[in-house]
Amino acid sequence: MARITAGVATSHVPAIGAAMDLVKTAEPYWQPVFAGYDWSRRWIAQEKPDVVILVYNDHASAFDMKIIPTFAIGCGERYKPADEGWGPRPVPDVEGHADLAWHIAQSLILDEFDMTIINEMDVDHGLTVPMSLMFGQPEQWPCKVIPLAVNVVTYPPPSGNRCWLLGEAIARAVESFPEDLNVQVWGTGGMSHQLQGPRAGLINKEWDNRFLDLMSDDDGEALRAISHIEYLRETGSEGIEMVMWLIMRGALGKKVRPLHRHYHVPASNTAVGHLVLEPVR
């Protein structure tokens, strides 16, 4: 049967994608950011996942104020990079795994999660930047991807507890799929950052690192209890993206083993965080 073998958490800063596309990764400003992913690229080349369930948020590329799904799962065969105003990123199309995606969608809905099913959409930097960070810039992505978009742009976003429970439900769905697949779950976005208003540029290193500690060591109770107002107060208006990490974490089970950790400030006014975890069965 299919099995979840690892979880990856990473920020998805759009400027990181631009730095890669414009060959600026070795510049002094960017080199420390990308150095934190060297280990992860070597690791994932050995792990060779068949499918990545990639949890991200759309930035008004596939969705706008006309429709705001809390949780949307991509069940299509292929997704093109979105044009976010300066042309699509020069990266490959994302190949989906429709059979597993439909199986997960059915399982989640019967598990009482109201999923929005998407068959056609373009995917923006929220999805493509994590792919580039982990795989570099290949001619074709080396695995299939199931996009799982979460609303963390328009209030109210889902609670951390609801995201954790969704992760647990995803794990049940994957484990009931009969094909032998190596599946990873990635949670993206964050860490602390605010892009507008009087607190623009806010970064909270202490809070971020406590969150990383809890992701690696905690059984979930403290993470699940973090309120929306705490995310807003401590990590800025965009820090709420970290609830998406909890979907990944919930999918790994109670206990995990941390394999790699990276934290760097700043990358385009954002704190960059990165974790690689494996479940302890």
Side-chain angles (χ1 to χ4, degrees), residues 196-210:
Q196 70 286 308
R199 296 203 305 165
L202 180 148
I203 290 175
N204 189 336
K205 296 180 184 179
E206 182 179 356
W207 198 98
D208 287 343
N209 279 286
R210 182 172 67 87

Side-chain angles (χ1 to χ4, degrees), residues 112-162:
E112 301 186 355
F113 283 88
D114 298 323
M115 306 298 296
T116 300
I117 295 171
I118 306 292
N119 292 312
E120 293 184 11
M121 65 176 173
D122 293 343
V123 291
D124 65 19
H125 73 268
L127 186 144
T128 64
V129 165
M131 293 289 287
S132 296
L133 284 168
M134 294 297 292
F135 294 119
Q137 294 179 292
E139 293 186 4
Q140 181 178 348
W141 298 122
C143 66
K144 297 184 177 182
V145 176
I146 297 175
L148 200 158
V150 180
N151 170 44
V152 291
V153 175
T154 303
Y155 272 77
S159 69
N161 184 61
R162 188 61 171 166

